[in-house]
Amino acid sequence: MDTHGEKTGILAKKRLWVGIGVGVFILVAYILPTPQSLMDVLEKYGYVQKMIDWEIAQNLEQASDKTMIVLGLVPMAIIFFAVEALPIGVTGLLMPIMAYFFGLLPFNMIGKTFAGDAPMFMLGVFALGATVVEVGFHKRLAVWLLGWTKGFWVPMCVLCISMSIMGSFMSAPAMCSFMVPVIMAVYYGSVKAVTPKGEKIIHDPALAKYLLFSLCFALNMGGPGTPSAGGRNVIMMGFFTDYGISITYSDWMKYGWPLVPLGSIMLILYMATFFSKKIKTRDLTPGLEYIKEETRQMGKMKYAEYVTAGTLFLIVGLWIFGGEAAGLGGPALLAFVIPVLFKTVEFEQILVRISFNAWFMYCGALTLGALLKESGGALWLATTFLNTLSKVGMDQGYGLWVGMSGFAGLITNFMSDAATVALIGPIVVPMGIMSGVAGEPWAIGLAVALASSFAHFLIVGSPANALTFALGIYPDTNKRVLEAIDFVKYGFGFFLLSMALLWIVGFLVIYPLVGFPEGILETATQVLQSTAN
């Protein structure tokens, strides 16, 4: 039955899920005993002293209580985000609210976790997408990219392969912001063509989800390709440099880029298998013709479109070439200013098109990630996982790569990819050095960074997920196509396949074929020893 996004069954029982989420939080935060290993980590790595200096705890016991509260927030947030027990924006706002009321960070730090460079980046990307759609430039982009295709499988293959390749060189959120409206326009034209004239549009929810997830997952799969695909890759390059074993742009591509086209092909097969029997509309040609006809009616590119195209290329150029000096948020916010200054789109029109619900959700996820990091909860989870790996003989080589990349892949679905690498990177590079295996520092570092792109099964996992969720609406009803639980339902299987691709092709084929430079273990060891001394 087509419910147009309305939940049915147990997922509709919001009060039940609120109660379950709160109950899990109370269980973890106040009932379960604090593990001795957690207290050891907090004391050994200075988290207790840090909390004392911040005046949010007075001793080890109080510090560990704070960390247990943070650990309790994690499953509660996952439940609320997954089933939308509360609006996702409200769940996002709960994270800083809980941080304030439970004193989990100094007050002047909590706001910074909710409104830093990444949230400004997301807000600017929303504005960029709104401007592109408002002036109709997204239709021209669609015609340039897909206008020559016909049928069903050719457009889908072109979409998956082209988006994964483009997502490996430029901002996936930027691509997502203006491609989602394009995809929905193609969808609408296709279902409209098979609806009898004069009747209400007969929707095909399976087709809409198929198109949106193909776009979103393809952009995520571009992440391993190059350093410019995301901040996570640049962060790991920085850790390599800290140990004197820097990696070049082209070196990175040798290990990561072969996964991009292979991943897009795997995506095509996965989506075809998952949705083949559910889709009723089997021809996208009418939708593509619908877009082309609208573009023809627009005539030649107008002033507003030229300004919008210039804004798009300027912002993307600053992201790629601006470096740390420009950041991500600063260039993105130009998407608010340039349309107003050049009088192409009214400021109010931009605001109307922004999904603040999704923005608050993303900001809250960043706050939760910061709480995990600053409280020592994330480090405790990582060290616990590492200890488990060592007990089963996975403390070097292939076993270590699989174990740590698997951990990074899971964590990146719950917090930002950059935060994941920032957390795990300082741990895994020394692990690679201490293993004494040649090439291990690069091998384990790359394994973690490449896996951090596979945030497929939670909407908080990546900006592309959040944008797909927020912008994927039926054009005639303005109802959402996707629910948060859909990412779990359709994304978890593809997450497992993505990890298998990395473990089999990346570790067993690419690593041996490309190899690792001689001397990086010795150089990194010298740096580690000099630091220890």
Side-chain angles (χ1 to χ4, degrees), residues 46-66:
Y47 288 99
V48 176
Q49 187 59 49
K50 182 168 66 173
M51 292 187 196
I52 293 174
D53 293 340
W54 284 344
E55 298 182 353
I56 60 174
Q58 297 179 353
N59 50 46
L60 172 60
E61 183 178 354
Q62 290 184 6
S64 59
D65 288 343
K66 298 285 186 182

Side-chain angles (χ1 to χ4, degrees), residues 88-431:
I88 58 172
V90 174
T91 301
L93 287 168
L94 274 179
M95 300 303 105
I97 289 173
M98 301 285 271
Y100 276 115
F101 279 96
F102 288 100
L104 303 178
L105 284 176
F107 290 165
N108 62 346
M109 287 184 62
I110 296 173
K112 294 178 181 178
T113 68
F114 196 78
D117 184 61
M120 294 302 101
F121 165 69
M122 275 293 294
L123 192 61
V125 168
F126 275 125
L128 180 62
T131 302
V132 168
V133 173
E134 191 67 31
V135 303
F137 187 62
H138 66 299
K139 297 175 184 177
R140 295 195 191 275
L141 292 171
V143 171
W144 295 338
L145 183 65
L146 298 171
W148 59 275
T149 63
K150 293 182 179 181
F152 185 84
W153 292 114
V154 173
M156 291 311 305
C157 290
V158 171
L159 177 71
C160 290
I161 294 174
S162 63
M163 288 298 101
S164 62
I165 291 174
M166 295 184 72
S168 68
F169 288 100
M170 62 179 290
S171 167
M175 291 297 302
C176 195
S177 66
F178 52 76
M179 283 303 298
V180 169
V182 166
I183 290 300
M184 290 311 300
V186 171
Y187 161 81
Y188 186 71
S190 299
V191 296
K192 185 178 181 181
V194 297
T195 301
K197 289 185 178 181
E199 295 188 13
K200 186 178 179 181
I201 295 295
I202 302 174
H203 281 285
D204 188 349
L207 175 62
K209 292 178 181 181
Y210 179 91
L211 292 168
L212 289 176
F213 280 127
S214 294
L215 170 66
C216 181
F217 295 161
L219 289 170
N220 286 346
M221 287 305 296
T226 74
S228 60
R232 58 194 173 272
N233 298 347
V234 177
I235 290 172
M236 185 55 73
M237 292 177 75
F239 290 138
F240 289 153
T241 301
D242 290 342
Y243 285 93
I245 51 173
S246 58
I247 187 172
T248 67
Y249 195 101
S250 58
D251 283 337
W252 186 288
M253 288 187 66
K254 293 176 184 176
Y255 300 100
W257 208 87
L259 298 173
V260 175
L262 292 175
S264 62
I265 294 172
M266 182 179 71
L267 173 61
I268 294 169
L269 297 175
Y270 171 79
M271 297 301 291
T273 302
F274 216 109
F275 285 91
S276 59
K277 295 182 180 179
K278 302 176 183 178
I279 297 173
K280 300 175 183 177
T281 309
R282 293 282 179 171
D283 188 7
L284 298 178
T285 306
L288 295 169
E289 290 295 331
Y290 175 78
I291 289 290
K292 286 193 284 187
E293 178 58 31
E294 287 198 342
T295 304
R296 282 193 289 267
Q297 292 177 5
M298 291 167 62
K300 295 182 178 180
M301 282 187 64
K302 299 177 176 62
Y303 167 76
E305 293 179 81
Y306 280 113
V307 173
T308 302
T311 303
L312 171 63
F313 291 122
L314 171 63
I315 292 175
V316 172
L318 288 172
W319 280 336
I320 295 175
F321 302 109
E324 295 183 3
L328 293 174
L333 291 177
L334 290 174
F336 281 101
V337 178
I338 293 177
V340 176
L341 291 179
F342 286 85
K343 297 182 178 181
T344 57
V345 180
E346 295 291 333
F347 187 65
E348 290 75 14
Q349 291 176 301
I350 298 175
L351 293 179
V352 167
R353 285 187 175 272
I354 291 176
S355 174
F356 286 100
N357 191 36
W359 186 69
F360 283 132
M361 175 273 297
Y362 186 71
C363 293
L366 292 176
T367 297
L368 181 58
L371 290 173
L372 276 169
K373 181 181 177 183
E374 299 296 341
S375 68
L379 182 60
W380 174 71
L381 290 172
T383 53
T384 301
F385 189 75
L386 290 175
N387 291 334
T388 303
L389 288 178
S390 63
K391 291 178 181 178
V392 294
M394 297 174 65
D395 53 354
Q396 67 177 33
Y398 185 77
L400 181 62
W401 307 338
V402 169
M404 288 312 301
S405 61
F407 181 68
L410 285 173
I411 291 297
T412 199
N413 279 276
F414 301 108
M415 55 195 292
S416 76
D417 47 25
T420 299
V421 175
L423 165 72
I424 303 177
I427 303 171
V428 297
V429 175
M431 283 179 58

Side-chain angles (χ1 to χ4, degrees), residues 7 74-93 95 357 360-362 364-365 368 414 458-460 469 483-485 488:
K7 287 186 174 66
V74 176
M76 182 181 77
I78 292 171
I79 292 170
F80 286 0
F81 279 136
V83 302
E84 294 182 79
L86 299 171
I88 58 172
V90 174
T91 301
L93 287 168
M95 300 303 105
N357 191 36
F360 283 132
M361 175 273 297
Y362 186 71
L368 181 58
F414 301 108
L458 285 180
I459 57 175
V460 299
F469 174 82
E483 299 298 327
I485 196 66
V488 180

